[in-house]
């Protein structure tokens, strides 16, 4: 009599049973369309991850959850070889989420019997074969040819179609390795304390936040208080909606209470005081790294939720963070480490803007002009504050400027001709002047005007 095969090693695993066929599934920067064969994802590396799903691959409402795979001796040793064995005395990391067809979103599988049944089945080789290995999918996505969709490549691996997947070389080129490890860089400041604050703000119903023992839930429609529209007659519209606990950033008041005259004007032009207030007094969890670590983490989460869920409220908070940081002057001198890290974070995010269908800035009505204006002003500030210095901020600014010029044809430097003579085809010389960005240069109708106090009555 043939004995059954021995149970396979259990690794950190996310199970997603009962997903409808052809629904959108994603983990971190990987997305693919599910098939009946797909059951979940295994061999997850330590650190924060985000899993999400939607009814279709189109821009439908999506729902997902953040979770953190704890680092341990077994996970550390396992990831060096692409596997994560479980110590006999260590509880394996297993999360089971099911699709709610009524609400069309992911939710915690609450049936205890069903949960136990899936845990038992994890030891079976047949179940293991229906789980996509995280590192394998990342490598397939990273090594996909330029003419092939990375989504298709990762999906082929995820759904067990090895023949359809691109053969992954044993050693990826250096450029592809960088691409494959971008997730770790994009969440370098994200911590559990930050996720608890962002995703756990009690709702208007008083039902508590979106945190469970399994992870932190967020959806396309999750919103922050500042982005709610309180329409008369629709006061109960937001009841039961998942609210986001953003850091309080009010760009309309960036000076201390009671400030008048010159101090108030200085606070409006240089938002360093407001930045200090947000970092020192905002949020429950404090960053464990550099000064401003938690603000950088929120910036990262907001960007990723725009990228993966098309969450409008997160886009608005991301823009508020940029509007706060990129208009500081005094802080640029005293908080150099923070600004260096901020520029690196922003540069990496901008390299992923086109991961969104149609491009990130097409979601926003200003089409990216908001960021372009901020960067032009910040570049001038860097030149003035860091003149004659071999500053890391200056170097990071130069790297970002070169990228924007080459990839997006953005010119954020002031060193270009604004007025000049142009010779037409018939030989006539005509003087032309560029009228764009007059507000930033304080030209034309935006030029400062000297007013006689006596004329004010």
């Amino acid at each position: 009599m043939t004995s059954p095969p021995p149970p396979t090693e259990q690794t950190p695993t996310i199970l997603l049973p009962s997903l409808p066929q052809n629904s959108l599934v994603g983990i971190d920067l990987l997305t693919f369309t599910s098939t009946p064969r797909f059951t979940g994802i295994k061999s997850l590396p330590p650190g924060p991850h985000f899993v999400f799903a939607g009814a279709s691959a189109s821009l439908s409402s999506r729902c997902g959850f953040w979770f953190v795979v704890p680092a341990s001796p077994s996970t550390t040793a396992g990831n060096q070889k692409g596997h994560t064995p479980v110590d006999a005395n260590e509880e394996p990391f297993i999360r089971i989420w099911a699709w709610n067809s009524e609400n069309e979103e992911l939710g915690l599988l609450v049936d205890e019997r069903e949960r136990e049944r899936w845990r038992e089945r994890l030891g079976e080789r047949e179940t293991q074969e229906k789980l996509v290995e995280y590192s394998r999918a990342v490598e397939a996505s990273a090594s996909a040819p330029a003419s092939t969709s990375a989504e298709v490549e990762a999906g082929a691996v995820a759904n067990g179609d090895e023949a359809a997947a691109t053969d992954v070389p044993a050693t990826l080129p250096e450029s592809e390795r960088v691409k494959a490890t971008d997730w770790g860089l994009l969440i370098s400041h994200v911590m559990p304390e930050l996720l608890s604050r962002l995703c756990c703000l009690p709702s208007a119903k008083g039902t508590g936040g979106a945190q469970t023992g399994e992870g932190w839930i967020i959806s396309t429609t999750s919103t922050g208080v500042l982005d709610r529209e309180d329409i008369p007659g629709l006061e109960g519209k937001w009841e039961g909606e998942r609210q986001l606990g953003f850091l309080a950033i009010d760009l309309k008041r960036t000076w201390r209470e009671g400030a008048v005259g010159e101090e108030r004007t200085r606070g409006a032009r240089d938002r360093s005081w407001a930045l200090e207030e947000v970092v020192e007094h905002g949020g429950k969890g404090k960053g464990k790294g550099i000064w401003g670590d938690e603000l950088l983490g929120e910036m990262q989460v907001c960007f990723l939720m725009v990228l993966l869920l098309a969450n409008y409220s997160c886009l608005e908070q991301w823009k508020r963070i940029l509007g706060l940081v990129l208009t500081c002057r005094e802080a640029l001198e005293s908080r150099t480490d923070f600004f260096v890290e901020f520029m690196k974070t922003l540069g990496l995010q901008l390299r992923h803007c086109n991961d969104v269908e149609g491009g990130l800035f097409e979601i926003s009505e200003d089409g990216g002009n908001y960021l372009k204006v901020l960067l032009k002003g910040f570049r001038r500030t860097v030149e003035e504050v860091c003149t004659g210095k071999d500053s890391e901020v200056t170097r990071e600014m130069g790297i970002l400027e070169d990228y924007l010029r080459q990839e997006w044809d953005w010119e954020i430097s002031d060193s270009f001709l604004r007025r000049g003579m142009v010779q037409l085809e018939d030989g006539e010389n005509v003087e032309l002047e560029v009228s764009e960005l007059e507000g930033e240069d304080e030209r034309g109708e935006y030029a400062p005007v000297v007013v006689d106090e006596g004329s004010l009555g």
Side-chain angles (χ1 to χ4, degrees), residues 185-204:
L185 300 174
L186 287 166
I187 50 97
S188 58
H189 299 279
V190 177
M191 299 167 291
E193 297 87 351
L194 167 66
L195 295 172
S196 294
R197 173 176 58 77
L198 271 176
C199 304
C200 273
L201 193 64
S203 66

Side-chain angles (χ1 to χ4, degrees), residues 391-405:
S391 168
E392 285 189 68
V393 178
T394 303
R395 287 198 294 272
E396 290 298 329
M397 188 74 237
I399 293 172
L400 180 59
E401 186 178 355
D402 290 342
Y403 171 78
L404 294 175
R405 185 184 300 112

Side-chain angles (χ1 to χ4, degrees), residues 66-320:
W66 286 91
F67 62 94
V68 179
V69 177
S72 66
S74 62
T75 57
T76 303
N79 277 310
Q80 294 175 354
K81 299 180 180 180
H83 298 282
T84 314
V86 175
D87 189 273
N89 299 319
E90 182 183 354
E91 185 71 19
F93 181 92
I94 300 170
R95 297 292 182 266
I96 309 173
W97 290 68
W99 179 257
N100 186 323
S101 56
E102 183 178 346
N103 299 328
E104 291 193 340
E105 64 179 26
L106 285 174
L108 180 65
L109 183 61
V110 294
D111 188 323
E112 198 58 45
R113 285 187 178 181
E114 189 71 5
R115 290 171 62 84
E116 191 58 36
R117 185 175 72 86
W118 275 106
R119 284 180 175 272
E120 291 175 357
R121 290 180 60 183
L122 264 181
E124 301 173 4
R125 190 171 299 278
E126 180 182 356
T127 302
Q128 289 289 321
E129 290 174 352
K130 294 180 179 180
L131 300 174
V132 54
E133 188 171 335
Y134 181 88
S135 60
R136 179 74 174 88
V138 169
E139 290 176 349
S141 175
S143 61
S147 59
T148 306
S149 168
E151 178 179 322
V152 173
E153 296 300 318
V157 175
N159 293 313
D161 189 357
E162 298 292 337
T166 302
D167 290 334
V168 181
T171 303
L172 294 174
E174 186 63 28
S175 60
E176 300 298 352
R177 288 189 190 182
V178 172
K179 180 179 176 182
T181 57
D182 271 1
W183 176 257
L185 300 174
L186 287 166
I187 50 97
S188 58
H189 299 279
V190 177
M191 299 167 291
E193 297 87 351
L194 167 66
L195 295 172
S196 294
R197 173 176 58 77
L198 271 176
C199 304
C200 273
L201 193 64
S203 66
K205 240 179 184 179
T207 55
Q211 182 187 11
T212 73
E214 306 278 326
W216 296 269
I217 309 173
I218 185 171
S219 68
T220 299
T221 57
S222 299
T223 185
V225 175
L226 287 176
D227 305 310
R228 287 172 45 173
E229 295 183 14
D230 293 321
I231 305 172
L234 296 177
E235 288 80 2
K237 174 186 176 184
W238 299 99
E239 279 197 17
E241 289 286 341
R242 296 190 181 98
Q243 295 185 31
L244 300 174
F246 292 138
L247 291 171
I249 299 176
D250 183 4
L251 298 181
K252 295 179 181 179
R253 194 187 75 82
T254 53
W255 51 85
R256 69 175 183 84
E257 188 175 352
V260 295
E262 182 184 352
E263 183 183 359
R264 188 164 177 168
T265 301
R266 189 168 58 250
R269 294 175 62 88
D270 177 3
R271 291 169 172 162
S272 298
W273 179 87
L275 176 62
E276 294 277 346
E277 282 293 296
V278 169
V279 171
E280 296 297 337
H281 304 293
K284 296 178 181 177
K286 297 299 179 183
K288 298 177 181 177
I290 65 170
W291 183 89
D293 203 26
E294 187 171 0
L295 180 62
L296 292 172
E298 183 159 319
M299 175 184 172
Q300 291 180 330
V301 172
C302 286
F303 176 79
L304 289 169
M305 294 304 91
V306 177
L307 205 66
L308 305 176
L309 300 182
N311 185 289
Y312 170 79
S313 191
C314 286
L315 174 62
E316 291 301 301
Q317 181 68 357
W318 184 71
K319 289 166 64 177
R320 282 190 287 265

